[in-house]
């Protein structure tokens, strides 16, 4: 293992300059719950580690005047959980965030790190996608914003260019009649990697009909999926049995998982449909309660 240069810049511009000027592999340290494990296991060998936790933008979670949220990429899950308004507005996002590791890990685990680790089984990503979150990225060419689903492009790989990093996220205001939910299946009772994860966000009208929906699946493809056919299956319905059956079938059809020690292709595919049904019901119940 080569010697590692460690830097803790205080501004976005300083972080970008460090990342862009690195002569070897450069890694961003947000929460560190993935990166530190990878370093100790010699899975990565960077020349530079840039700790972004000293940058104010990465450490702030605020509710904006329009009801949207700006969430710093290094905000910890435990911090977010203390924000009662955020938890009430987007319980599905929070419950996905809560599943990143143990209580101790929650003191560090961030949405930025979970997204940019680019694991197909990342718990927060399906919930972020269905909530319509965007990633706010800074780099040598300036700033840009993209849907979070466009950041991971393959297991362990992102679309971020040299010198770029995720500064924050924008989470839209929760719509009237809106609800979201995230569920996963794991082999053990806690602290395990998802066999399948499913996020659902939807909006109900006054009569209980779904007027819009988004459905996302994790751990069933090389990247987290936004399943548009699954959303179309329930829009215009009251989530009756036929609609839920169509949702189940659309989710199963979208799956292209692998066999591994946590689950077979057949098992993962079937579980995806089951979780989608359950998450849709929970999201609708939350939407109706508002």
């Amino acid at each position: 293992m080569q010697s590692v240069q460690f830097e803790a810049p205080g501004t976005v511009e300083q972080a970008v300059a460090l990342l862009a000027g690195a002569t070897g592999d450069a890694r961003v340290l947000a929460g560190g719950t993935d990166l530190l494990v990878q370093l100790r296991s010699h899975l990565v060998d960077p020349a530079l580690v840039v700790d972004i936790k000293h940058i104010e933008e990465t450490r702030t979670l605020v509710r904006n005047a329009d009801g949207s949220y700006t969430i710093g990429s290094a905000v910890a899950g435990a911090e977010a959980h203390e924000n009662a308004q955020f938890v009430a507005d987007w319980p599905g996002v929070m419950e996905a965030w809560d599943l990143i590791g143990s209580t101790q890990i929650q003191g560090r685990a961030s949405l930025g790190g979970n997204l940019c680790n680019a694991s197909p089984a990342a718990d927060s990503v399906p919930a972020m996608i269905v909530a319509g979150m965007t990633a706010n990225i800074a780099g040598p060419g300036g700033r840009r914003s993209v849907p979070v689903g466009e950041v991971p492009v393959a297991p362990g790989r992102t679309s971020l260019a040299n010198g770029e990093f995720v500064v924050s996220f924008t989470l839209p205001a929760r719509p009237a009649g809106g609800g979201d939910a995230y569920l996963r299946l794991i082999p053990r009772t806690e602290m395990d990697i998802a066999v399948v994860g499913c996020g659902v966000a939807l909006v109900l009208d006054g009569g209980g009909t779904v007027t819009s929906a988004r459905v996302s699946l994790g751990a069933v493809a090389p990247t987290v999926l936004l399943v548009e056919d699954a959303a179309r299956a329930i829009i215009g319905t009251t989530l009756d049995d036929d609609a839920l059956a169509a949702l189940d079938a659309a989710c199963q059809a979208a799956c292209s998982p692998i066999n591994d020690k946590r689950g077979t292709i057949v098992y993962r595919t079937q579980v995806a449909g089951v979780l989608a049904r359950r998450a849709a019901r929970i999201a609708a119940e939350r939407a109706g309660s508002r």
Side-chain angles (χ1 to χ4, degrees):
M1 180 177 179
Q2 65 179 342
S3 61
V4 180
Q5 179 185 357
F6 180 86
E7 298 286 350
T11 69
V12 170
E13 292 73 22
Q14 290 170 351
V16 168
L18 287 164
L19 292 168
T23 57
D25 182 27
R27 299 283 170 148
V28 172
L29 174 66
T33 59
D34 286 310
L35 179 59
L36 293 178
V37 173
Q38 293 164 0
L39 286 168
R40 289 168 179 159
S41 302
H42 303 290
L43 297 175
V44 297
D45 190 17
L48 171 67
V49 172
V50 177
D51 183 352
I52 62 172
K53 293 193 295 297
H54 297 272
I55 301 171
E56 185 176 0
E57 281 188 73
T58 72
R59 296 285 303 124
T60 304
L61 190 161
V62 295
R63 190 173 192 265
N64 303 310
D66 63 355
S68 66
Y69 288 87
T70 301
I71 306 169
S73 59
V75 171
E79 296 171 307
H81 203 108
E82 293 178 355
N83 188 315
Q85 185 65 64
F86 173 74
V87 175
D89 283 347
W90 289 101
V93 173
M94 192 68 251
E95 61 198 0
W97 202 345
D98 274 341
L99 290 172
I100 305 173
S102 64
T103 301
Q104 294 91 335
I105 288 172
Q106 277 294 304
R108 285 293 189 187
S110 66
L111 294 182
N114 200 228
L115 176 68
C116 293
N117 190 51
S119 167
D123 279 308
S124 71
V125 180
M128 294 166 72
I129 287 176
V130 298
M133 290 179 69
T134 55
N136 304 314
I137 299 165
R143 299 210 183 198
R144 63 190 179 98
S145 296
V146 300
V148 292
E150 294 182 9
V151 175
V153 295
R157 289 178 48 211
T158 73
S159 61
L160 299 179
N162 180 52
E164 288 189 325
F165 76 102
V166 177
V167 177
S168 64
F169 299 95
T170 300
L171 176 59
R174 180 169 176 172
D180 72 322
Y182 175 77
L183 293 174
R184 74 172 183 185
L185 177 73
I186 58 174
R188 299 184 296 178
T189 57
E190 60 181 336
M191 290 192 298
D192 210 335
I193 299 171
V195 174
V196 181
C198 179
V200 176
L202 48 75
V203 176
L204 303 181
D205 66 14
T209 297
V210 179
T211 59
S212 68
R214 289 167 67 88
V215 179
S216 182
L217 295 171
V220 295
T223 59
V224 175
L225 302 176
L226 177 64
V227 189
E228 295 181 354
D229 285 346
R232 283 192 285 266
I234 58 175
I235 292 173
T237 77
T238 57
L239 292 180
D240 55 44
D241 289 344
D242 288 342
L244 290 173
L247 169 68
D248 186 323
C251 285
Q252 291 199 46
C255 293
S256 56
I258 61 171
N259 288 313
D260 66 12
K261 63 183 179 182
R262 291 179 293 117
T264 65
I265 291 172
V266 171
Y267 183 62
R268 279 194 161 104
T269 300
Q270 292 178 345
V271 167
V274 172
L275 291 186
R277 286 174 178 258
R278 294 177 181 176
R281 290 192 186 102
I282 296 169
E285 182 178 351
R286 289 172 174 169
S289 69
R290 296 176 67 87

